[in-house]
Amino acid sequence: MARDESTSPGLLASWIGLGRRRWVAGLIAFVAVAAAVAVVLLTAKPVYRADARLRLGEPPPAGGVSPTAGFIGLLRLGGDPFANDLELLGSRTVAEHVVEDVALHARLDAPRGWHRDSLFTRFGADRTTIKATYEAEWAGDAIRIHMRSPRDSLVGETKAGHPIAFGGVIAEFKPRRPDSPERFGIVTLPFDDAARTIAKRIRIERTRREANVLSLMFDDIDPAVTRGAIEAAVRRFLGLRAAILARESNETVDSLRAVSTTTMLELAQAEAALEEWQRESRLVAPDVQSEAFVERYMLVVGELEAARIEFAAMDSIFERLQRETEPSRTWVLLLSHPRFIENEPMGLLLSRMASLEDQRLALAARRAETSREATVLRNQIESLDASLRRLATSYRNALDERIGDLESQVGRMDAEFLKVPGNTVELGRRQRDVRVLSELVVLTEQRLRQEELRQALTVSNVQVIDPPQLRRRQVWPRPKLGAAVGFVLASMFGLLAMVAAETADPTVRRAGRLRALIDAPVIGSPVRTRRGVRVTERDAAAIAAVATRAKADAIVLAAVTGDASDLAGALVAEANGAGITLPALRVAPAMSAFGDAVLAGDVPVVLVVEAAKTPRHKAAAAAARVREAGGTVLGALLVCRSERAAREAWG
C-alpha cells in the first residue's frame, strides 16, 4: 500500500528542511547583500538636512475690513489663501531664485568630507551654465581647470585667492591645505534643468490638517548648501509673496485714487452747476417756495375777482347815474356802495350835498327858483355833483387799472406755474447727481483707507516659527539603522535565494510531485546510506500489497537512474525477516529499463527514483515509455539519502 501522506511534517519543519538543503545559496546571497549594504554605508557621502517652519495667517478679506466684507470673504472668490501660498512656495520663480542664490546648478564632486566652504572662498554660477564636467587639479601653487565633458580641453589656470570664470561658474579657490585633495570635479547643469530638479527636492509638508503651518525640508551632501537652500527658499517666498500682495494693493490703491480724484472733480463741477442754476431759477426750497407761491397766487386771484366784482358794481351805479337828473337823488345810490361808505371824504361830500339839498328844498318853499339864495345853493350842489362825479370816475378808472395790473400779475404767475414742474424735476436731477457723486466720493475714500489698512495687515500675517537651521545629525547614512536595514535585506534576499534554488532544482524531492509526474502512487521511501540501502518493514509490505492487488507473480524494479540491485536485495532480506511474501523481483538496469525488461513478458513495473538525484523530466519520460511499450506502472519507490530527507519527502 502507498504511504499515508498525513504523517508529513508541518510548515515549520518544511522551512527548516529548506534551510538545511539550501543553506549554501542563502548564505551566499546573505553575505553578498550584507557586503553591498556595508559598502554603501561605508562609502556613501553623508546627507544633511535643513528645515524651517512657517505659519501662514489668513489675509484680510478682499473687500477690506468693513463690516460687510466678512461675508464676501467667506465666498473665497480669490481661492483658498493657504493653497495659493503653497503654489507660490512651489513655483518656478522661487525655485529659480533658490538655484541662483545657492548656485545649485553647479555641484562639487570631491572626496568624502570636502565641501564648498573647505575648498572655495567664493563659489557661484549664472544662468549660462550647460551640462558639463570640469576637473580642478593642483599643480604646485596653481590650479588647472580642465573640461572633461562634453569635450576634453584645458579651460585655464588660476591661483588661490584669484577668481576665475568658466562655463558660467565663478570660483575663487582657498589656499591648498596639506590634506586637501589633489584633484576634484565640478559638474554643471543647465539652469532650467536645475530649477525643475530643485523644485522637487524642496519638500513642503503641512504639519497638521487643521493648522496653517508649513514645514520646509531640503537634503544635500553639503551642509552649507543645504542650509543656504532653505534660507533662500524662505527668503524668496516671503519676498515674492510680499511683492505680489504689494503689487495688488498698489494697483488697487492707484485705481481707487484715480477714481476718487475724477469723482471729486465731477462733484465740484456738479455743485457749481447746481449753484448757478439755483441762482438763475431762484429755486432753493421747492416745497416751501411752492407753498408760498400758491398762497400768493390765491391772494392775487382773490383780489382780482373782488376788483372785478367791485368794477361791475361801479358800472351798474354809473348807468343809474346817467339816467338820474337830480343830483341829490343820483348820489344817494353811491351811499349803498361799501367803498363809498367806508371813504370818509366821500361821505362828507355826500353829507354836504344832502344838507344843501335839504336847504334848497326848504328855501324853495319861501323863495323863488331865481332868487339869489336858491341860485347859490344850486351852484353849490352842482359843484359838489361835479366833484363827486370826478371822484367816482377816478375811482372807477383806478379800479380798472387795478384789475389790469392784477390780470397781468396772474398771467405772470401762471407762466411761473408752468415752469414749476420742470424746475422741480431739474432741481431733483441736479441734486441727485450731487448726492450720488458725494456718496461715491465717500465710498471711494473709505475703500481706499480700507485697502491701505489691508496692505498694512497683510505684511505681517506670515510668521517664521522655526528659522532655517541645519540638523545636528546627518540623515544618511545612519550606522545603526543602516545595519538593521542591511541585516533585514540580507536575510530577505538569503531566504529568497533558498526559495529560488529550491524552485530551480530539477530533481525529484517530494512524493506528491513524483506521483503527479508518473500518474501512479508512491509505494515507499527507502533510505540509501554509505552502508547500503535500508528498507523498512512498511516498504516491503507495501510492495507485497501492490503486487497482490495487481495479481502479479513478479514485478520489475526499474531504476530511472543508477542501479536497483541493492534495493531488491534489501527488500528480500527485510521481507524474509518479517515473514512477508514478496513476488519475484526482477531488476532492470537503467539502460534497459524501458526495453528488455518490459518486452520479456507482461510484468508490471515499479520505478525506482533517487531523491535529489533523478531529474523530474526523466521520471516522467520513464513512466511514459513503459506505458507506450504496453507495460503497467504499479508505482514508484523514492530512494532518499537520510531519514530526515525521507520524512521531508512526504511533507
Side-chain angles (χ1 to χ4, degrees), residues 187-208:
V187 181
T188 60
L189 294 173
F191 183 81
D192 295 338
D193 295 345
R196 285 192 294 269
T197 303
I198 294 304
K200 299 177 181 178
R201 289 180 59 188
I202 299 177
R203 296 197 301 278
I204 306 169
E205 297 179 357
R206 190 172 188 173
T207 56
R208 290 188 180 181

Side-chain angles (χ1 to χ4, degrees), residues 23 34 49 142 173 179 183 185 203 470 485 494 507 556 571 575 622 640:
W23 66 271
R49 175 173 296 173
F173 293 85
D179 56 344
R183 60 173 58 88
R203 296 197 301 278
L470 188 68
V485 172
T507 61
V556 176
L571 285 171
C640 301

Side-chain angles (χ1 to χ4, degrees), residues 368-442:
E369 291 290 334
T370 58
S371 63
R372 182 179 177 83
E373 292 85 355
T375 302
V376 171
L377 289 174
R378 191 168 47 254
N379 291 335
Q380 290 179 352
I381 291 172
E382 290 177 354
S383 176
L384 286 175
D385 179 68
S387 298
L388 287 173
R389 287 182 180 276
R390 287 194 300 271
L391 183 60
T393 302
S394 299
Y395 182 78
R396 182 176 179 275
N397 293 335
L399 186 60
D400 187 25
E401 292 178 358
R402 173 66 176 167
I403 291 173
D405 293 339
L406 290 175
E407 288 179 348
S408 299
Q409 188 175 357
V410 169
R412 290 193 301 271
M413 295 182 74
D414 287 338
E416 291 293 330
F417 256 130
L418 295 177
K419 296 179 181 179
V420 167
N423 289 340
T424 303
V425 172
E426 180 67 17
L427 178 63
R429 185 182 65 81
R430 291 176 180 270
Q431 289 178 342
R432 184 181 66 250
D433 293 341
V434 172
R435 184 176 63 256
V436 170
L437 291 174
S438 300
E439 293 176 355
L440 184 58
V441 167
V442 173

